[in-house]
Amino acid sequence: MAVFSLGAALAAAALAAAAARAHVRWEYPVARSDSTGIKGPYPCGDDAFFADGDAVTELAPGSNVLSMYENVWHEGAPMRVALSMGNDDGFDQHVLLSHVPHPDNAPHLKISSNTFKLVVVLPDVKCERCALQLLSVMTDKIDDGTCCSYPTDSAYKCFSVYHTCANIKINGTAAALPAAPVSDAALTTVWTKGEGSTTAWVDVGGALALEGEYDAYHAGMCTCDATECTRTDALPTAKVKPPPLSSADNNGAASAAPPRAATAPSLQLQLVMLPLLLPP
């Protein structure tokens, strides 16, 4: 007869709890959900736009220091930041940052818990009900030499993407959003492996800040047709130099609450799982 230990049961319970809370979410502005494991549906999972009781973060136009929290480390997984006004339907039409490199110099591989900060420029718009979306694309899971697309319904759609959205208010002046700073679909929906950096993110007060140069992704790095999307030999030809946190007009992230740690499995969960591990 097989022997099933209490230790094994507790370990399984811990793994189950960790699986429910994995990867990334907004820290500032405050995310709609404290879950870091929202894989869909696009664009924000099941969390509705401005649902009753949800937090709303007021932001100013101009450069803002925003922060995200990652508790599972994925090498080379790029990120995208987008804005929508009045509903959750406009993210693809107003991408603020795309191909943000993953901080591959995060100190604790695979099981890290890190706060990442970066400067995001918000348009001068008066918006009582806007939403800010963050995508984290798990390109470490695709084959070498390939690319994938998201959000699309192509044959080569990225199959592992994490979503987090925040309800925000922007206290600007214009009645409508201006043209998006990043508008080329090839730069906002196609992703490739290895979009990380070990130098772009620097330690600033215990958080990693996007302040160093990194390779600029360009559309020629992937060639896509109706059935496949492959990585070409075209290398990045330009560098992106992000602004330092100290240059931002607004640093609301400085006063943001510390990240909510992943919840340990409760004793009740541990005990409930025991019958599943014991022999009949």
Side-chain angles (χ1 to χ4, degrees), residues 63 65 118-119 209-211 241-248:
S63 53
V65 176
L118 72 170
V119 174
L210 184 63
E211 295 194 345
K241 182 62 175 77
L245 303 190
S246 60
S247 71

Side-chain angles (χ1 to χ4, degrees), residues 61-94:
S63 53
N64 288 263
V65 176
L66 307 183
S67 64
M68 66 195 77
Y69 170 61
E70 181 186 65
N71 66 337
V72 175
W73 186 89
H74 279 272
E75 183 176 13
M79 293 169 278
R80 189 189 86 168
V81 178
L83 177 68
S84 186
M85 184 176 182
N87 51 47
D88 283 339
D89 299 335
F91 294 118
D92 297 342
Q93 290 73 47
H94 208 91

Side-chain angles (χ1 to χ4, degrees), residues 3-279:
V3 177
F4 293 81
S5 69
L6 177 62
L10 298 184
L15 288 174
R21 298 175 57 88
H23 305 290
V24 70
R25 63 164 164 74
W26 280 122
E27 183 180 272
Y28 184 85
V30 179
R32 294 177 190 173
S33 169
D34 65 359
S35 172
T36 57
I38 300 174
K39 277 191 157 184
Y42 183 83
C44 298
D46 294 322
D47 299 309
F49 180 79
F50 275 75
D52 290 343
D54 278 359
V56 179
T57 304
E58 184 170 350
L59 300 172
S63 53
N64 288 263
V65 176
L66 307 183
S67 64
M68 66 195 77
Y69 170 61
E70 181 186 65
N71 66 337
V72 175
W73 186 89
H74 279 272
E75 183 176 13
M79 293 169 278
R80 189 189 86 168
V81 178
L83 177 68
S84 186
M85 184 176 182
N87 51 47
D88 283 339
D89 299 335
F91 294 118
D92 297 342
Q93 290 73 47
H94 208 91
V95 176
L96 302 176
L97 289 174
S98 194
H99 294 277
V100 176
H102 183 268
D104 285 353
N105 54 326
H108 306 295
L109 303 185
K110 303 300 183 187
I111 55 172
S112 64
S113 293
N114 295 296
T115 293
F116 306 148
K117 297 186 176 184
L118 72 170
V119 174
V120 176
V121 178
L122 296 178
D124 181 15
V125 63
K126 183 174 180 58
C127 183
E128 295 291 328
R129 292 161 61 88
C130 273
L132 203 62
Q133 178 203 55
L134 172 68
L135 296 181
S136 177
V137 186
M138 305 290 100
T139 55
D140 59 323
K141 297 181 180 295
I142 66 176
D143 293 336
D144 291 336
T146 66
C147 304
C148 63
S149 67
Y150 194 88
T152 64
D153 289 322
S154 68
Y156 42 85
K157 183 176 181 178
C158 305
F159 61 87
S160 184
V161 181
Y162 289 88
H163 312 66
T164 177
C165 292
N167 298 324
I168 65 171
K169 173 182 178 180
I170 305 175
N171 56 9
T173 59
L177 292 175
V182 185
S183 58
D184 187 342
L187 297 178
T188 61
T189 64
V190 179
W191 315 91
T192 190
K193 198 161 187 171
E195 292 192 56
S197 176
T198 58
T199 58
W201 297 82
V202 298
D203 188 354
V204 176
L208 289 177
L210 184 63
E211 295 194 345
E213 284 189 344
Y214 59 92
D215 291 334
Y217 175 93
H218 62 88
M221 292 175 67
C222 293
T223 300
C224 305
D225 57 27
T227 59
E228 64 179 1
C229 199
T230 58
R231 176 69 184 261
T232 70
D233 293 330
L235 298 175
T237 57
K239 296 284 187 180
V240 177
K241 182 62 175 77
L245 303 190
S246 60
S247 71
D249 301 322
N250 311 287
N251 190 4
S255 58
R260 293 163 284 191
T263 305
S266 66
L267 179 61
Q268 180 181 14
L269 173 61
Q270 296 166 359
L271 296 177
V272 165
M273 291 192 66
L274 282 173
L276 301 179
L277 300 172
L278 296 174

